Amino acid sequence: MRRIFFLLLCGALLAVSCTMPGSRAHNTMSAPCYPLVTIDPYTSIWAFGDDLAGRPTSHWTGRDYPLLGVMEVDGVPYRFLGRDSDPRFDAAARQMSVEVLPTATYYEFECAGVEMEVIFTAPFLPGDLELVSRPVNYVTYRVKSADGRKHAVKVYLEASPLLAQNDSTQTSRAFASREGDLTLLKTGTLEQDILGKKGDDVRIDWGYFCMSSLYPAAEYGVGEASALRDAFLSGERMPEAECRDGFLAVVDSHPASKSAEGVFLIGYDDIFSVNYFGEKLRPYWNRTGEETIDRQFVLAGEQYESVFRRCVGFDNAMMKEAVAAGGEKYASLCALAYRQAYAAHKLCVSSDGEIHWLSKENFSNGSIGTVDVTYPSAPLFLIYNVELAKGLLNHIFHYSESGLWDKPFAAHDVGTYPIATGQTYGGDMPIEESGNMVILTAAVARAEGNADYALKHWNTLTTWTDYLVDFGLDPGNQLCTDDFAGHFAHNANLSVKAIEAIGAYALLADMSGKADVARKYRGIASGMASKWVDMARDGDHFKLTFDAEGTWSLKYNLVWDKLLGLDLFPEEVAATELAYYKGRQNRYGVPLDCREDYTKSDWIVWTATMAPDRETFEYFIEPIYLYMDRTEDRVPLSDWTFTSEAVHRGFQARSVVGGYFMKMLSERWK
C-alpha cells in the first residue's frame, strides 16, 4: 500500500513540477521576513531574513522556533534550512532565489552538482474551511542533477522541542505514533496546562507539535539532537524511543539518480483552542471531538496532489486579479499579506453552531477578537469567504446580546488570547467600535446581496447606531483604532466613521424593507456629512480635529462612501484630500497625520482606493512597496512604519494587513 501510494505521489510531484515553470505566478519583491509554516497565532514559523540558512527559524514574536534542514549529496551535508552551532553542518547550500506567493514560499538552492527547490505551503484556500482549519502544512522538496551525473541524496528535517514550549525551562516528551502506514513524530510539554496561558509574547505549551514524511522509506528519529545527527551522518538507524526533551527528525534517503522528490508534513494538535465565555472550543477541524491529528495527517497526505494544485491555481488567480486591480507592486504586497492575515486567526464553532474567526492582536496587547483589528482585516475575508467575515463579528454580537456587555456601544475585544471571557482592554472606544461593527455588517450584506445577517442583530445594530447619532458628529475625548496616537477629542476622521456607519444602517434598513427607517437615518447621515464639511474644512484640505486649524490626517474611513455606494459626502472631499496628501508624501509613504512621521500602511491602501484613476492609486502604493523591499527590519510584515526612513515603528505579524485587499474588494464591488 505504501509503495503504491508513493508511486502515485512521485507521479503527482513529477506532473506538478513539469507544469510549474510556466504555470505559476511570480513575485519579485524582497520581503522583510518570509512565512514558512503558518497555521494559527501559535504555530507560526518564519525566516527572519533573505537567507533561509542564515539564522535559526523563528516564531513571529522573534523567539527561536528551530527547524533544521540538511541535504546530504554523495555523503557531504549541506544545510538549507535554519542554523545550528554543530560544526558538521557549517556548510550551507547556496541560495539562488526566494519568492513569496499567497499560499506558498519558494526557495531555490544549488550545491555539489545538484539543484534543490523547497516549497513551504499553507493551504489557506478560503472556500474550504476544512483546509483553512486543518493544522498541517507541506514542505515539498525537489532535487535534480545540475551536472548530468547521478547523485545519492538524503534530506534531513529536524524539529526542536521548543516548538511546543512557551520557554526553554519547560520539560517535554517526544515520541512516535502510527496511524495505518503513517508514522507521526510528536513533542509536547509534560505539564499540558491546556488554555492555561494568555498574553501577547506567549507561545503554546499544550498540545503537540507533529511532523511526518510522505516518502515510504523515510526513517524517523526521536532523541537528543546529537544522537539523531550522528545516525543521519553515519547512515545508522536513528533512535526512536520515547524520551524527555527529545528532538524529532525525519530522513528521506534517495539512491543515486538524477532527481529526487518528497514531501514533509508539519502540524500541531492544540486539543482545545479557545475558552469562549466558559466553553472550551475545539479547533474547527475537530469541532465534533471525533477527529484526531493522526487522521488529519493521513488526509493531508492523501490529498497532497490536489491541494498543491489548488494552491498553485489560487495563487495564480489571486495575483492576476491583484495586478489588474492595482498593478504588480500592489499584487506583491497582497501576496506578502495573505498568509500573515490568515495565520493571525483561529477558526472555531461554538455550541450554538456559530463560526468564530478569532484574531489575536499580535505584537500589541494580545487581545482576542479585537474589533478595530477586525475592521482593517475584513476586506480580505469579504472577498473570499463571507462566512469568515461574519466569524469576525459573531463574538461581539454575542457579547452584547447575552447581556455580558451592557454598554450602549460595541466592546473593544472579548478577552486576551486565547481566553475570550470578556473585554480586557483598559479603555473603551465607543465611536470606533460601534462604527466598525455597523459598517462591516453592511459590508456583509453587500457581499451576500441581502440583509439577513443584519436582521438577526437588528436591535443591537439600532442601539449602536443611535449612540453614533447622539455622539458621533463631534467625538469626545477618546481613542480611535490608532490608539498609539493617544486620546484626543473632535477627531474628524472618527466622525467620518460615525457618519458612514449611520448611512450603512440606513442601507441595511432599505435592504430589509424598512423604508421609513432608511429614510430617517439616511437624512440624519446626510445632514451630519454637510455639517462635517463645514466643521472640518481648512482651505485646501480638511482638519485632523475640528478645533485645530493647520492640521490634517488621512481620512481613510471615507472609503466606505464609495464602496457601499452611500454618497454621503461631496466628491470634492476625497478629491481635495488626495491632492493634499500628494504634497505630504515622503519616501516611504504619507504620514498618518500631521503630528508624526509614522504611518499605517493599511490605511494608505484604503486612502489610495478612493483615487479616481490607476495612476494616483499607484502613486500612493509605490512607497509602501519600496519600504518592504528595502527595510533592514527583518520582522514579519509591520503595518506601523516611519515614512522618512525604512524603519518600522512597532507591530508585526498582525492580521490588519488583510486591509491591503481593499482595492481588490473595491474593484469586485464596482
Side-chain angles (χ1 to χ4, degrees):
M1 180 66 182
R2 292 266 292 184
R3 178 168 175 77
I4 293 172
F5 174 71
F6 180 64
L7 290 173
L8 291 172
L9 170 66
C10 286
L13 284 168
L14 184 60
V16 171
S17 62
C18 285
T19 59
M20 282 300 295
S23 65
R24 73 171 173 89
H26 290 282
N27 175 12
T28 58
M29 182 178 71
S30 296
C33 194
Y34 295 87
L36 304 178
V37 177
T38 49
I39 292 174
D40 59 25
Y42 283 137
T43 306
S44 184
I45 307 174
W46 296 70
F48 277 46
D50 294 324
D51 185 358
L52 186 59
R55 55 160 290 170
T57 56
S58 302
H59 188 262
W60 63 258
T61 56
R63 214 282 299 270
D64 284 355
Y65 242 34
L67 287 174
L68 183 68
V70 179
M71 175 175 59
E72 184 185 274
V73 182
D74 300 326
V76 181
Y78 299 89
R79 196 179 71 256
F80 66 88
L81 167 63
R83 187 162 188 160
D84 188 86
S85 59
D86 192 328
R88 295 174 296 179
F89 295 153
D90 278 348
R94 186 162 73 97
Q95 183 173 309
M96 304 299 292
S97 67
V98 56
E99 187 174 2
V100 177
L101 290 176
T103 67
T105 303
Y106 293 77
Y107 288 90
E108 292 181 342
F109 303 90
E110 68 171 15
C111 65
V114 303
E115 296 174 350
M116 183 184 198
E117 182 180 37
V118 180
I119 307 165
F120 295 86
T121 304
F124 288 135
L125 296 172
D128 188 336
L129 295 187
E130 296 293 342
L131 270 181
V132 168
S133 175
R134 180 180 291 164
V136 183
N137 278 197
Y138 300 106
V139 183
T140 304
Y141 65 86
R142 304 181 181 128
V143 182
K144 67 178 182 179
S145 174
D147 59 10
R149 300 177 181 177
K150 292 182 178 181
H151 296 275
V153 171
K154 292 200 297 184
V155 182
Y156 174 87
L157 182 65
E158 176 191 286
S160 164
L162 281 173
L163 292 161
Q165 299 172 351
N166 179 51
D167 61 66
S168 60
T169 65
Q170 296 176 291
T171 302
S172 63
R173 72 184 184 104
F175 58 99
S177 68
R178 286 175 175 81
E179 175 81 11
D181 291 330
L182 178 82
T183 297
L184 193 58
L185 301 181
K186 300 179 182 180
T187 179
T189 61
L190 292 181
E191 185 180 14
Q192 288 297 305
D193 185 16
I194 296 175
L195 299 173
K197 286 187 175 63
K198 63 180 182 179
D200 187 21
D201 189 7
V202 173
R203 288 143 299 276
I204 193 168
D205 60 2
W206 67 87
Y208 298 92
F209 174 87
C210 311
M211 62 187 247
S212 188
S213 171
L214 295 187
Y215 185 60
E219 187 179 350
Y220 297 87
V222 173
E224 293 184 357
S226 58
L228 296 173
R229 296 171 187 180
D230 287 346
F232 163 63
L233 293 170
S234 67
E236 297 176 357
R237 185 172 183 82
M238 288 198 293
E240 199 183 312
E242 179 175 331
C243 63
R244 296 282 182 95
D245 295 327
F247 283 64
L248 312 178
V250 183
V251 179
D252 290 356
S253 298
H254 300 275
S257 67
K258 291 187 177 181
S259 65
E261 299 171 319
V263 181
F264 295 114
L265 306 178
I266 292 178
Y268 205 100
D269 180 11
D270 62 359
I271 305 174
F272 287 99
S273 303
V274 172
N275 178 342
Y276 184 70
F277 297 103
E279 179 186 0
K280 286 185 178 180
L281 300 188
R282 298 180 186 274
Y284 183 89
W285 62 267
N286 191 23
R287 55 198 178 279
T288 65
E290 298 176 356
E291 263 295 338
T292 66
I293 191 64
D294 301 66
R295 177 61 183 161
Q296 289 293 306
F297 268 71
V298 169
L299 288 172
E302 292 173 348
Q303 297 171 4
Y304 169 75
E305 177 188 358
S306 63
V307 170
F308 190 92
R309 286 186 179 279
R310 288 168 64 191
C311 287
V312 172
F314 176 81
D315 290 350
N316 288 348
M318 200 204 94
M319 294 297 284
K320 181 178 180 180
E321 182 176 1
V323 169
E328 291 186 0
K329 292 181 178 179
Y330 171 69
S332 294
L333 294 173
C334 290
L336 185 56
Y338 185 83
R339 266 174 290 164
Q340 176 169 310
Y342 268 85
H345 292 85
K346 191 70 179 183
L347 185 62
C348 301
V349 179
S350 52
S351 57
D352 58 7
E354 287 207 317
I355 284 176
H356 299 282
W357 186 224
L358 291 159
S359 63
K360 179 176 182 182
E361 191 169 348
N362 289 346
F363 221 84
S364 178
N365 62 2
S367 289
I368 185 169
T370 304
V371 179
D372 57 285
V373 167
T374 288
Y375 179 66
S377 70
L380 172 58
F381 308 113
L382 287 164
I383 289 174
Y384 291 115
N385 193 329
V386 72
E387 292 305 314
L388 291 178
K390 293 178 190 176
L392 294 169
L393 310 179
N394 286 335
H395 52 281
I396 298 295
F397 279 121
H398 169 77
Y399 194 18
S400 280
E401 292 164 0
S402 65
L404 294 169
W405 177 262
D406 59 2
K407 298 179 182 180
F409 47 81
H412 170 272
D413 61 76
V414 289
T416 301
Y417 197 93
I419 309 302
T421 55
Q423 178 172 306
T424 52
Y425 189 69
D428 296 329
M429 298 185 188
I431 303 299
E432 175 67 39
E433 313 304 15
S434 299
N436 292 342
M437 288 297 294
V438 177
I439 288 171
L440 292 181
T441 303
V444 166
R446 172 67 180 80
E448 292 194 304
N450 64 71
D452 293 352
Y453 182 71
L455 287 172
K456 287 175 56 179
H457 305 290
W458 192 256
N459 290 340
T460 305
L461 290 167
T462 302
T463 297
W464 292 340
T465 302
D466 286 342
Y467 184 90
L468 296 173
V469 170
D470 291 340
F471 301 104
L473 177 59
D474 190 4
N477 187 35
Q478 60 191 271
L479 294 172
C480 68
T481 184
D482 308 313
D483 58 357
F484 48 81
H487 289 74
F488 61 101
H490 317 298
N491 184 336
N493 186 47
L494 189 58
S495 176
V496 170
K497 177 170 290 182
I499 296 167
E500 296 292 346
I502 296 166
Y505 178 81
L507 175 65
L508 289 169
D510 187 56
M511 294 177 71
S512 303
K514 303 176 187 292
D516 291 344
V517 175
R519 189 161 40 251
K520 172 186 173 182
Y521 284 88
R522 171 74 188 186
I524 292 171
S526 295
M528 291 172 70
S530 295
K531 292 178 181 177
W532 185 96
V533 172
D534 292 336
M535 294 164 63
R537 190 182 296 279
D538 193 15
D540 60 352
H541 68 281
F542 295 88
K543 304 170 189 172
L544 165 67
T545 62
F546 296 129
D547 61 340
E549 294 183 358
T551 62
W552 62 273
S553 65
L554 294 180
K555 307 300 190 299
Y556 54 82
N557 288 314
L558 194 61
V559 72
W560 295 106
D561 214 44
K562 174 181 178 180
L563 250 70
L564 294 177
L566 301 178
D567 298 326
L568 296 169
F569 290 83
E571 290 184 3
E572 60 106 2
V573 173
T576 297
E577 287 290 274
L578 287 167
Y580 188 80
Y581 302 151
K582 282 187 174 182
R584 297 297 178 272
Q585 179 155 286
N586 294 324
R587 185 170 182 78
Y588 299 108
V590 184
L592 183 64
D593 60 48
C594 57
R595 295 170 296 174
E596 297 280 355
D597 181 67
Y598 59 61
T599 194
K600 290 280 271 81
S601 55
D602 47 343
W603 298 146
I604 290 179
V605 177
W606 285 36
T607 301
T609 299
M610 296 187 289
D613 57 82
R614 175 74 164 270
E615 182 181 357
T616 302
F617 175 81
E618 291 185 333
Y619 177 84
F620 291 111
I621 296 303
E622 168 72 26
I624 307 175
Y625 176 93
L626 192 64
Y627 169 88
M628 301 301 176
D629 197 51
R630 295 187 179 182
T631 182
E632 294 300 317
D633 288 354
R634 311 318 297 267
V635 298
L637 186 57
S638 173
D639 54 289
W640 185 19
T641 63
F642 289 104
T643 63
S644 295
E645 55 182 337
V647 177
H648 82 296
R649 172 62 178 82
F651 300 159
Q652 63 196 52
R654 303 207 314 152
S655 65
V656 302
V657 295
Y660 290 2
F661 289 78
M662 181 59 91
K663 176 63 172 174
M664 289 175 64
L665 181 65
S666 176
E667 293 300 312
R668 282 204 176 193
W669 283 4
K670 275 187 177 180

